[in-house]
Structures are given as structure tokens and as C-alpha cells.
Amino acid sequence: SSLAGGNSGNRGLCKQPCRKKYSIDRKGFETLSYKISLSDLCVGEEVLRLAKAGVSSFKIEGRMRSAAYVGAAVRYYKDIFAGASVQELRGDLSDLKRTFNRGNYTRGLAFGQDKGFLSSDIQGHIGERVGVLCDCKKGSRYAFVRSSFSPRDGDGFKVIRGGKEETGGGVWRSFYPAKQGGFFLPMSAKYRDGDEVFVTSDTALAERIARRKARIPITVKGEFCAGK
């Protein structure tokens, strides 16, 4: 970023060239994709191995993430260190995926070369898979999503086909038609039966995480002196 446009990532001005599409002059790599886009870091329960090795402080990735992401990430690692059950940790990871998830996660390089180190097909947040499209009829106003997920007004979704995020998505509204076994999204000409549907904005989750905020009473003493 610094060399290409004078915007130094080390000074908070990065233009994120790593999140652009590139092709490589090499057989089998000519197709445009996110060739140097890193997956998001999440070492999960491997954090216990790092602690055992002597690491005493951990930084949670997410400099430009939402408050919901911070809340979900803190809870996930807190529960790992507390010895939470497999079911609890599975729920924590689900929450984390829904707050930000660029094509699932990588454990980085601390545990060997991770096959998911790069996210070449997914650049943005895709959330968590909740269903699949069916009955996508040409001319229909809505596409049906077969799912056990119960959406709330304002929930956002992304439609993925073949692991790529170029199919589109939509926002669920409470006035959409109702049907057992799933929910409806506004129809798009790009949709096809079998496309996967991911929730990218879960309003119920955001509210649940917001309620966890801890408020600790503090006392502040200040001295203000001229010339100091």
C-alpha cells in the first residue's frame, strides 16, 4: 500500500491492496481471484497450547470489526480458558462466524502450513450457513430458503454458489410471506436452486452480545496546573 500509493499500512492508512483481485502469469492461476487475501485468524482451542508454551498475553484480531465481533471473540476465548463444554464452544464459534467470517478461519503459521491460510474466493463477510435456496422460479417476487433458522426483521443474508460470493444477498423483512420449513428473500435473477444461504447480520445475536457489557465503577482524580 505504501509503495503503490503512499498510504502506509503501518500508519493506519492502508488501502488494502491484499483484498483486490489478481491473476498470476502461471498455468492454472490465470483466473482473477483474491490471490493474496489472508483468511481471518482464529486459533480456537489451540490457544491453550500457546498458553502452555508460555504466552501470557493474546491480541484478538479485529481492528476494524464491530462491537458484536469483539463481544463474540472475547466470550469464545474466555470460555475456552474456562474449560467450557464442546456444545458451549460450538455455540460461541457460531456467534463469532455470524459477526465476521471471511470464508472461515485460519490458524495462521504457528501450527504448520494451514490450507485455509488464504481466502482466494471470499473477500467479504459471509457469516454462517443457515440454509439453501429452492423453488427459484423465474418471475417470482421471492425465493424460498429451506432452513431451520428463524430470521428477525433486519437480518442480512448472502447467497453463495460454489464457494464464491458473487451471487448477491438480501435483508429479511417481517412483512415477507411466511412458510413452514424456512423463510423468503427477495428474488434475484442470479439465484439458482441449491445456492447456499449464509446469515451475515443477526440482530438477535447483536442484542444478546450488547447485554453482556460490564460496567465497573471507577474513581478518577485529576490535578490541573498551569504550565503542565
Side-chain angles (χ1 to χ4, degrees), residues 134-176:
C134 59
D135 297 330
C136 294
K137 299 176 181 178
K138 188 176 181 180
S140 299
R141 289 188 61 189
Y142 299 99
F144 184 67
V145 182
R146 189 169 63 247
S147 172
S148 60
F149 178 73
S150 298
R152 286 180 47 174
D153 198 74
D155 284 353
F157 298 89
K158 186 171 283 188
V159 178
I160 306 293
R161 180 185 306 145
K164 298 183 184 297
E165 59 176 336
E166 300 173 352
T167 311
V171 175
W172 188 84
R173 296 300 181 189
S174 55
F175 56 81
Y176 289 167

Side-chain angles (χ1 to χ4, degrees), residues 10 31 40 43 51 55 67 78 90 92 108 131 137 156-157 175 203:
N10 291 336
T31 304
D40 294 288
V43 299
V55 180
K78 183 179 180 180
R90 188 179 294 122
D92 289 345
K137 299 176 181 178
F157 298 89
F175 56 81
T203 56

Side-chain angles (χ1 to χ4, degrees), residues 6-26:
N7 297 282
S8 173
N10 291 336
R11 292 171 175 80
L13 301 174
C14 185
K15 293 295 185 181
Q16 294 192 306
C18 62
R19 304 303 182 191
K20 307 296 183 182
K21 285 186 174 182
Y22 298 95
S23 63
I24 298 175
D25 186 15
R26 177 181 170 190

Side-chain angles (χ1 to χ4, degrees), residues 29-49:
F29 293 84
E30 302 89 351
T31 304
L32 279 173
S33 66
Y34 306 105
K35 294 287 196 296
I36 57 173
S37 180
L38 295 179
S39 299
D40 294 288
L41 185 66
C42 177
V43 299
E45 293 177 72
E46 299 288 8
V47 73
L48 296 174
R49 291 177 59 189

